[in-house]
C-alpha cells in the first residue's frame, strides 16, 4: 500500500562546509569511512528491496564549492526530506542551523506542502558530551523538524538509522498527526481515525468488540491479534482512560488514545499504516485513487450494483436502522452519513424514492436511491462506497468490484434478451400535462399528497421496483423538461419513451405527437402514450387525428388512461407495462391494444375463429359422440376418450400459439 502511495523518497543533505555531509553518504554506501573525501558525492539511488520501507531512495549531496545558489534552491524544491548536518564540536555550525539553513529552506519550499527536516549531529566520535541540550529548544521552535540524530561517519555510528529516520519522516511524518506543543492529536488526524472507527464498528454499537478488533487488525496488518495481546491492549487503555473500554470493547475515546500513545512513543508508522489502508494520503485527505478507482464503461453500456454491493449496503442499512422499522429517520440517516465529509442526500431524495407515512426513506427507497446514483453517476457512487469503506469491509481490491457494467444495448436487441435490472423511461409532455404527478404516483403518492411537496424539494427522477414475470426490476422515470428545440442526447437516451398528455386539455396531445415524429418515429425505442388526468372529462384533442388513431397508425399501444387523483395509492399496473416493454422492445408480450395486430389479439381471434370452432365441434362429436348416457358417465372408457380428446385439443392449440408467436 505504501508503494502505491509514494513511488520514491528523495533525501537532500545540506549544511556548512566540512561538517561531514559527503562522508555520511560514502560511509553508508561502502560501510567504511573513506580515506579520500570528494567535495560532493554523486546522487545515489538505493533500490526498494534494500530499504526497510521497501521504497526506492535517492540521496543527494550539496556542496557550496561546486554548486550555485540556484542549483541549491532547485534541489530544495525537489526534496521530500532535508537533513541539516552540523558538527557537534562546532558551535558555529549549530548556530547556522537556525540563522541560515532553516529560514533558507522555508523560503524556498511551498508553504502548503511542508517538507520535514532532520537535524544531524555528525562527528560524535570527537566529543564526549551530547549536543541535544542545545538542539532541543530548536526542535521545539520549529514544527518542521521531525527528529535529531547524533552520528559518526568515522565510526559508522547511527548511519543506517539516520537514513531510516529520513525515510520515515517522509512516509510516516509526525507533523500531520500530532501537535508537540499541545501534546495531543491534531484535529484532522482525529477526524480520520473517527471515520475509521465507525467503518470498523460493524454493528454500530459504539464499541469495537474482539471480533471487530481482530477484523481491523487483519485488515491493516494482515494478522489477527492473539487473545492475550488483545487483553494487554485493552488493559493499557483501562489504566489510562476510565471510559476507554466498555463492555470489554474499545470505545472511540480508547481507540484515539491508543493511537496518540503510538505517536508519542515514536510508533507513528502504526497509525500511518492504518490511515493509508483506509485510503488517506499524506495530507489526511482521502486519496483520489482510493475514491475513484479506474472503471471502463464502453458506449451503449450502463452501470449497476452487483449482488455483493447490495449485500454490503443492506448491512449498512441494518446497522443504522436502530428501531427496526425498515425506514431511516432523519437522525438515523445523519448517523449513516457521518463518515462522509458532507451530506450526500438532499430533501429531493424523499421525492425520488419510496418513503413511509412519516416521509422517511424506506429500505426499498434506500436501495433504489443507490441504484439511481450508480446508473446516473457511477463515479459519485464509487466515491460514496469509498466513504463507507466498501473495499475494506467487503475485502475487495477496490470499490469498482461492486459495479457491474452491462453489455451493450445493441447486443441485447440482437439476442432479444437482457441481463440488466435497471431500465430508464424518459417522460415527455407539455407543461401541465401531468408528468410530475405520473412520477410521484409511481412512488405511491396520490394528488393530495403531491400538493404538500415544496417546489424546491421536487425531483425530476423517480425510481422503484416492479415485477415482470416474477423478476424484480428497477424502473427509472426521468421527467424531461418540455423544451422541444433543446432536447439533448441524454434526454433521448432511454429504454422506453413515455408521452404524457392531459386528456382534459384539447391542445396537450399535439406536443406528444411532435416529439414522437421528430425524435422517436424511426428509432427502435418503444413508446407508450399516457392519457393523464383521466378522472376529468375527456375532450377532443385539436390535432389531425385522435390519440387512438395516432397510436394505431404508428403501431403503438393505445393511449393508457391514468390518474393520480385517488384516495389510496395510484394503480401501478401501467409501470409494470412500461418495464415489460423496456425489457422486451422487440415484441408485445401483453395485449395493450385494440388494433387486432398484436400476438395476443391474433391468438384470441384464432381461438374464436369458425375454423377452430368447427374442429372443436368435430372433436367433441368423435370423443363424446354428442349424446352421453348415464352409463357412459360411469364408464372408464368414456373418461379415457375424453382425456385423450382434451389432450389433443390442448397440444393443437399450443402448437398454433407458438407458430403465431414467432416474429412476424
Amino acid at each position: 500500500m505504501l508503494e502505491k502511495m509514494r513511488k520514491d523518497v528523495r533525501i537532500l543533505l545540506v549544511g556548512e562546509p566540512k561538517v561531514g555531509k559527503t562522508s555520511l553518504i560514502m560511509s553508508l554506501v561502502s560501510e567504511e569511512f573513506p580515506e579520500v573525501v570528494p567535495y560532493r558525492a554523486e546522487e545515489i539511488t538505493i533500490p526498494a528491496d534494500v530499504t526497510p520501507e521497501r521504497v526506492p531512495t535517492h540521496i543527494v549531496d550539496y556542496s557550496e564549492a561546486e554548486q550555485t545558489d540556484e542549483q541549491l534552491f532547485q534541489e530544495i524544491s525537489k526534496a521530500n526530506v532535508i537533513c541539516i548536518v552540523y558538527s557537534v564540536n562546532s558551535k558555529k555550525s549549530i548556530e547556522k542551523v537556525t540563522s541560515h539553513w532553516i529560514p533558507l529552506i522555508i523560503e524556498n519550499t511551498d508553504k502548503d506542502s511542508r517538507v520535514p527536516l532532520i537535524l544531524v549531529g555528525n562527528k560524535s566520535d570527537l566529543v564526549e558530551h551530547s549536543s541535544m541540550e542545545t538542539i532541543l529548544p530548536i526542535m521545539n521552535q520549529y514544527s518542521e523538524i521531525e527528529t535529531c540524530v547524533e552520528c559518526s561517519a568515522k565510526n559508522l555510528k547511527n548511519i543506517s538509522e539516520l537514513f531510516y529516520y529520513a525515510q520515515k519522516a517522509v512516509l510516516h511524518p509526525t507533523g500531520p498527526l500530532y501537535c508537540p506543543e499541545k501534546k495531543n492529536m491534531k484535529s484532522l488526524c482525529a477526524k480520520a481515525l473517527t471515520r475509521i472507527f465507525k467503518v470498523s464498528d460493524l454493528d454500530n454499537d459504539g464499541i469495537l468488540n474482539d471480533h471487530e478488533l481482530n477484523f481491523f487488525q487483519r485488515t491493516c496488518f494482515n494478522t489477527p491479534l492473539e487473545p492475550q495481546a488483545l487483553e494487554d491492549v485493552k488493559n493499557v487503555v483501562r489504566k489510562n482512560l476510565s471510559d476507554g473500554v466498555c463492555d470489554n470493547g474499545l470505545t472511540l475515546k480508547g481507540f484515539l488514545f491508543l493511537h496518540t500513545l503510538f505517536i508519542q512513543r515514536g510508533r507513528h508508522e502504526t497509525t500511518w499504516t492504518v490511515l493509508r489502508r483506509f485510503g488517506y494520503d499524506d495530507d489526511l485527505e482521502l486519496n483520489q485513487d482510493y475514491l475513484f478507482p479506474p472503471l471502463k464503461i464502453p458506449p451503449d453500456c450502463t452501470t449497476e450494483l452487483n449482488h455483493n454491493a447490495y449485500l454490503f449496503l443492506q448491512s449498512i442499512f441494518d446497522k443504522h436502522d436502530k428501531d427496526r422499522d425498515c425506514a431511516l429517520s432523519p437522525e438515523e440517516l445523519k448517523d449513516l452519513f457521518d463518515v462522509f465529509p458532507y451530506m450526500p442526500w438532499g430533501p429531493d431524495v424523499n421525492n425520488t424514492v419510496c418513503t413511509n407515512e412519516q416521509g422517511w426513506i424506506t429500505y426499498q427507497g434506500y436501495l433504489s436511491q443507490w441504484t439511481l446514483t450508480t446508473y446516473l453517476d457511477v463515479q459519485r457512487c464509487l466515491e460514496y462506497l469509498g466513504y463507507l469503506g466498501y473495499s475494506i469491509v467487503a475485502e475487495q481490491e477496490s470499490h469498482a468490484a461492486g459495479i457491474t457494467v452491462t453489455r451493450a444495448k445493441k447486443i441485447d436487441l440482437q439476442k432479444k434478451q437482457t441481463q440488466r435490472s435497471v431500465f430508464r423511461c424518459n417522460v415527455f409532455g407539455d407543461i401541465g400535462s401531468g408528468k410530475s404527478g405520473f412520477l410521484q404516483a409511481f412512488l405511491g403518492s396520490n394528488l393530495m399528497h403531491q400538493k404538500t411537496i415544496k417546489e424546491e424539494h421536487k425531483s425530476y427522477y423517480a425510481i422503484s421496483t416492479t415485477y415482470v414475470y416474477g423478476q424484480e426490476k428497477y424502473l427509472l422515470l426521468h421527467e424531461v423538461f418540455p423544451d422541444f428545440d433543446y432536447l439533448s442526447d441524454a434526454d433521448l437516451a432511454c429504454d422506453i419513451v413515455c408521452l404524457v398528455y392531459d386528456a382534459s386539455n384539447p391542445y396537450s396531445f399535439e406536443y406528444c405527437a411532435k416529439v414522437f415524429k421528430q425524435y422517436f418515429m424511426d428509432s427502435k425505442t418503444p413508446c407508450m402514450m399516457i392519457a393523464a388526468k383521466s378522472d376529468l372529462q375527456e375532450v377532443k384533442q385539436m390535432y389531425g387525428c385522435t390519440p387512438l388513431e395516432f397510436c394505431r397508425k404508428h403501431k403503438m399501444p393505445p393511449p393508457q388512461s391514468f390518474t393520480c387523483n385517488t384516495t389510496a395509492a395510484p394503480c401501478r399496473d401501467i409501470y409494470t407495462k412500461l418495464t415489460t416493454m423496456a425489457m422486451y422492445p422487440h415484441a408485445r408480450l401483453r395485449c395493450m391494444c385494440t388494433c387486432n395486430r398484436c400476438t395476443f389479439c391474433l391468438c384470441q381471434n384464432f381461438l374464436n375463429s369458425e375454423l377452430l370452432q368447427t374442429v372443436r365441434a368435430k372433436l367433441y362429436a368423435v370423443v363424446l359422440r354428442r349424446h352421453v348416457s348415464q352409463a357412459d358417465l360411469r364408464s372408464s372408457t368414456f373418461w379415457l376418450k375424453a382425456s385423450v380428446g382434451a389432450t389433443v385439443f390442448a397440444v393443437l392449440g399450443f402448437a398454433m400459439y407458438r407458430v403465431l408467436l414467432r416474429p412476424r
Side-chain angles (χ1 to χ4, degrees), residues 263-276:
I263 298 164
Q264 289 173 341
R265 293 181 178 179
R267 290 178 54 194
H268 35 281
E269 66 270 17
T270 302
T271 301
W272 273 116
T273 301
V274 170
L275 289 166
R276 285 179 176 143

Side-chain angles (χ1 to χ4, degrees), residues 479-505:
E479 180 183 344
V480 179
F481 192 75
D483 193 341
F484 182 80
D485 298 322
Y486 294 96
L487 293 178
S488 65
D489 291 341
D491 294 331
L492 303 176
C494 57
D495 299 301
I496 183 166
V497 174
C498 193
L499 301 162
V500 180
Y501 70 95
D502 180 356
S504 65
N505 181 350

Side-chain angles (χ1 to χ4, degrees), residues 211-227:
H211 168 70
E212 290 164 342
L213 279 170
N214 261 318
F215 178 79
F216 170 81
Q217 180 76 12
R218 193 175 69 251
T219 298
C220 296
F221 305 102
N222 297 319
T223 177
L225 280 171
E226 294 295 326

Side-chain angles (χ1 to χ4, degrees), residues 337-370:
F337 290 124
D338 199 36
V339 294
F340 283 56
Y342 55 87
M343 184 64 180
W345 293 359
D348 61 312
V349 173
N350 294 59
N351 300 309
T352 305
V353 298
C354 293
T355 57
N356 64 9
E357 292 178 355
Q358 295 165 288
W360 300 350
I361 295 172
T362 62
Y363 172 74
Q364 182 192 2
Y366 164 83
L367 292 181
S368 296
Q369 180 61 25
W370 276 101

Side-chain angles (χ1 to χ4, degrees), residues 170-204:
V170 178
L171 300 173
H172 314 300
T174 311
L177 307 181
Y178 189 74
C179 181
E181 295 84 4
K182 297 179 181 178
K183 295 185 177 179
N184 61 13
M185 192 182 285
K186 288 189 174 179
S187 59
L188 267 180
C189 180
K191 185 179 178 182
L193 289 171
T194 300
R195 171 185 165 264
I196 291 169
F197 178 90
K198 291 188 174 183
V199 169
S200 305
D201 183 12
L202 302 177
D203 56 8
N204 198 35

Side-chain angles (χ1 to χ4, degrees), residues 555-569:
K555 298 181 180 179
M556 293 166 58
Q560 304 293 298
S561 298
F562 178 82
T563 180
C564 56
N565 189 12
T566 56
T567 52

